[in-house]
Amino acid sequence: MKKKLGLIVNPVAGMGGRVGLKGSDGEEIQKRARELGAHPESPRRAMDALERLATIKDDIEIITYPDEMGEKEARECGFEPVVIGSVEPGKTSAKDTIKAAREMAEQKVDLILFAGGDGTARNLYDALGDNGVPVIGIPAGVKIHSAVYATNSRNAGEVALMYLQEKIKKVQDSEVMDIDEDAFREGRVTAKLYGYLKVPHEERLVQHLKSGRTEGEVAALNSIADDITESMEDDVLYIIGPGTTTRAVMEKLGLKNTLLGVDVVLNKQLVASDVIESQLLDLIKGKKAKIVVTIIGGQGYIFGRGNQQLSPKVLRAIGKQNITVITPQNKLSAIGNNPLLIDTGDYEANSMLSGYYKVVTGYQRTVMRKAE
Amino acid sequence: MGIVKIKKDFHEARWCEPIIYEMSTPGQRGILVPMPDDEIKAAAGDVLAAIPAKLRRKELNLPEMDQKHVLQHYVRLSQETLGANLTNDISEGTCTMKYNPRVNEDLAAHPNFAELHPCQDEDTVQGILEIYYKFEQIIKQISGMDRVTFQPGGGNHAVYTAASIVRAYWESKGELGKRDEVITTIFSHPCDAATPATAGFKVITLYPDKDGFPDIEALKAAVSERTAAIFMTNPEDIGLYNPRVDEFVKIVHSVGGLCFYDQANANAFLGVARAIEAGFDMCHFNVHKTFGTPHGSSGPANGAFCCKEEFAKFLPVPTVGFDGKKYYLDYDHPASFGKVRDFYGTAGVVLRAYAWTMNLGADGLRECADISVINNNYFEKKLLEIPGLSECYAGNGHRRQEQVRYSWEKLKEDTGVGTVEVCNRVVDYGIPHYWFSHHPWEVPEPMTLEPCESYSKDDLDEYAEVLRTVSKEAYENPEIVMTAPHKASAHKRNDDAALDDPAKWATTWKAYVRKHRK
């Protein structure tokens, strides 16, 4: 049976970037971008990715949305796609992306290849939720904080190729993140962790196509969780940040976990779930507390993206020496020689938190990484 | 090499040889052991009764075959490898494939040596003890250290010996509980992290700075009163020699930590630089990487572990001594941490290494380093002209030493052909599968090559020409590279997960039967 590939192109993704608009969400902005002379970025990038699939043209069926949402790109690359749904050319919006992803899931596609930015990834998450349809993103947007994207268009094509050829068999939960664009244009960053989508995963190929073969995700998480839970001290509050790596710690303790939020543990028991800043400040008052966080998203942020509950106030009260960063080795390798990133929105807090961390990568195993 | 530059028409033998267990025919025998004569039976009594009951088996799960077919099977298997003595094995960067002179093999096979037994009385093995003692004196000069042991069965094992000594040292000071961290670097050999971990230490790994050297600021942030030691390689795996290594030593010493220098592969600096002048407390040499003995894969191999006098009391027993008249095995080390291997190491390897070193002399050792570095300089320059190939940390202003970690990242971007595919394709030209990198792959699409002093200019040219040819193929006809190897005895694995999935992999016949023939 032919493999089915869903193809979604967000035709306006990336338009804002070239003209300094920090994002392209919203009709007004798209209009302004056009006035400023912006051209769509995503069609060309989608075609770069599709060219990688030329070798298996006859073995796959592409299911896509009309016109500029994928049909055009597929045809230009020599495919004869099955076109579903309907759109109003030149006036497509987030609603169309969501509709397209839903309908493709109903058609039981094996994978959705999509071109866009964080907003597009969010639309896919809205449509697909936890239903398990794997996706791989072609980075075409202004903001790429989500970890569902390949490092470039061609690599997105290659990942799709290898997944459809069953050379990649595993999928991994990867973060969908987005920033409030209105705030971003005013210079404030408030990135939120929206959820997780399944992304084809073979370490050498997906983690920036470079990290080699390591011990495997499950073993790595288990060994990190062993390290953290064994070294937990009595009568110390442990504030566990969001993410799949920290989830492994909670699972090891047998505690309910908030994947997208912050939980608090004391003497290996859950004392508060999905807390907000004010609750945290109350809880830690006069107590010894430690924070356990992991890298959120594809860029290496440990604070300020997806875990804003850990506010400058909270972080100041707890102090850098009481922060433990945990991550599997492959995620570190994926950010290459770049530092870990901190952006709490408070300059002083950022500088207080910057410097070296002994990042836990396994049982009794750490690496020195700088954060700035 | 004459006019033939590369072996375009190479083809490896392909026997599709079954596993020996699958060739078994019940009842077939290689040797029919005769029953003992009645006279002997009467004198010896029931010999089986002497074997403990738990060691007696009713059935032996061994293949049943005649001699001719056993020999045939193993000769065929040997033809299906591209091993040492057969091919241009510059491929094995970080591993140092040196030529093992035949004359040394003859020495080791000589009955006067080969028939020695480790349980013989000291008086009857004075010759080999003398060689142990004299080779120790040589290694002391090469390293600058005060004592050496050849007990470890390989390089990693010598590093484990270092970790055991660090443990014994802190235990003797009553600080083992507090000193529980060992620092290493990401481009050091992985045993510098693995063996301290095995010895019970927590391991902290330093990442490189922008020039590819271990980040010295990270070291400053990592050291504390918990630092037991640093274990580091130099030059590191990527071929860069850390010129600030003495500063690293000072920083670790300043908090009381010990310093171990992994010099497994000393080809870049034999006779040029020594561990003692860099300030280290301990070091080791992997005898097959540096002193021309065959690779032994931590079995019949040898690691020379060296230390300062202060740590000699912790060395594994026995050490070899000389009282002016006689060589002897010295077990009188009450503070010794014990043993890392039976008896006193792999004598055959020490003999070969001693012969190799004596043949070259001090000047010859220095020349080995010079040729290794010159070979590498020539090879590097030639290889960097190949389209799609680059080296890591290019342009950092520092020369590579004896090896280089290259990257096919550009080729991959341009053509889709990455290092795995190139590696599969070189096999079609009679070149063994090359070494990528230790894990994790910090350098994308890596390839690590090491043209030590054993290789001629023709060897270097052949190797470079094969890589150039494969690069050209990748740009012009990538399919032929993507589907390689075409001329090897075995093709690609048909199930990659078989290596990753504990439920699937099987490294022994027993495991295979258990997992796949239920």
Side-chain angles (χ1 to χ4, degrees), chain B residues 261-294:
Chain B
Y261 214 10
D262 179 340
Q263 305 200 302
N265 171 358
N267 289 285
F269 56 83
L270 263 183
V272 181
R274 306 196 303 174
I276 194 79
E277 278 84 18
F280 283 87
D281 303 301
M282 298 164 272
C283 71
H284 93 292
F285 301 102
N286 189 331
V287 173
H288 67 241
K289 287 188 186 181
T290 302
F291 298 99
T293 63

Side-chain angles (χ1 to χ4, degrees), chain B residues 451-462:
Chain B
C452 75
E453 83 280 357
S454 296
Y455 303 102
S456 68
K457 182 171 171 297
D458 281 343
D459 290 331
L460 306 182
D461 289 343
E462 180 197 21

Side-chain angles (χ1 to χ4, degrees), chain A residues 52 154 158 169-170 204-205 209-214 329 333 337 356 358 364-369, chain B residues 181 202-207 215 217-218 221-222 393 412-413 420 439-442 445 495 500:
Chain A
R52 280 278 186 238
R154 285 178 163 202
E158 175 143 348
K169 290 171 185 158
K170 294 178 197 161
R204 190 175 71 87
L205 292 154
L209 305 175
K210 61 168 272 193
S211 65
R213 205 180 285 275
T214 50
Q329 179 75 49
S333 299
N337 253 358
Y356 287 92
K358 274 182 196 166
Q364 305 221 331
R365 222 163 58 214
T366 56
V367 304
M368 300 297 293
R369 288 300 287 248
Chain B
E181 293 179 348
K202 296 178 182 175
V203 176
I204 302 172
T205 303
L206 307 181
Y207 264 66
D215 181 353
E217 295 306 317
Y393 303 102
K412 173 101 177 172
E413 270 168 28
V420 172
H439 296 288
W441 285 7
E442 293 299 324
E445 302 301 321
D495 182 4
D500 284 346

Side-chain angles (χ1 to χ4, degrees), chain B residues 296-356:
Chain B
S297 302
S298 286
N302 200 279
F305 172 82
C306 322
C307 64
K308 285 186 179 166
E309 193 57 49
E310 187 185 353
F311 307 98
K313 62 183 173 192
F314 305 117
L315 282 172
V317 287
T319 55
V320 178
F322 181 54
D323 63 10
K325 284 185 193 155
K326 207 184 112 179
Y327 298 93
Y328 60 95
L329 292 170
D330 185 359
Y331 285 88
D332 186 20
H333 294 284
S336 163
F337 71 77
K339 269 179 165 296
V340 285
R341 193 182 167 90
D342 289 342
F343 304 110
Y344 42 98
T346 317
V349 179
V350 175
L351 174 73
R352 287 179 180 92
Y354 178 71
W356 188 87

Side-chain angles (χ1 to χ4, degrees), chain B residues 188-301:
Chain B
S188 284
H189 190 277
C191 73
D192 293 321
T195 61
T198 307
F201 292 101
K202 296 178 182 175
V203 176
I204 302 172
T205 303
L206 307 181
Y207 264 66
D209 63 18
K210 63 175 180 21
D211 289 330
F213 297 109
D215 181 353
I216 199 162
E217 295 306 317
L219 176 67
K220 287 177 190 164
V223 293
S224 71
E225 71 288 344
R226 291 179 64 183
T227 305
I230 188 167
F231 279 45
M232 62 187 294
T233 307
N234 195 20
E236 293 197 296
D237 261 9
I238 54 175
L240 280 171
Y241 185 88
N242 181 353
R244 297 170 78 183
V245 67
D246 54 336
E247 289 176 55
F248 279 69
V249 169
K250 278 181 196 141
I251 291 166
V252 175
H253 278 164
S254 75
V255 296
L258 305 181
C259 298
F260 168 75
Y261 214 10
D262 179 340
Q263 305 200 302
N265 171 358
N267 289 285
F269 56 83
L270 263 183
V272 181
R274 306 196 303 174
I276 194 79
E277 278 84 18
F280 283 87
D281 303 301
M282 298 164 272
C283 71
H284 93 292
F285 301 102
N286 189 331
V287 173
H288 67 241
K289 287 188 186 181
T290 302
F291 298 99
T293 63
H295 279 233
S297 302
S298 286

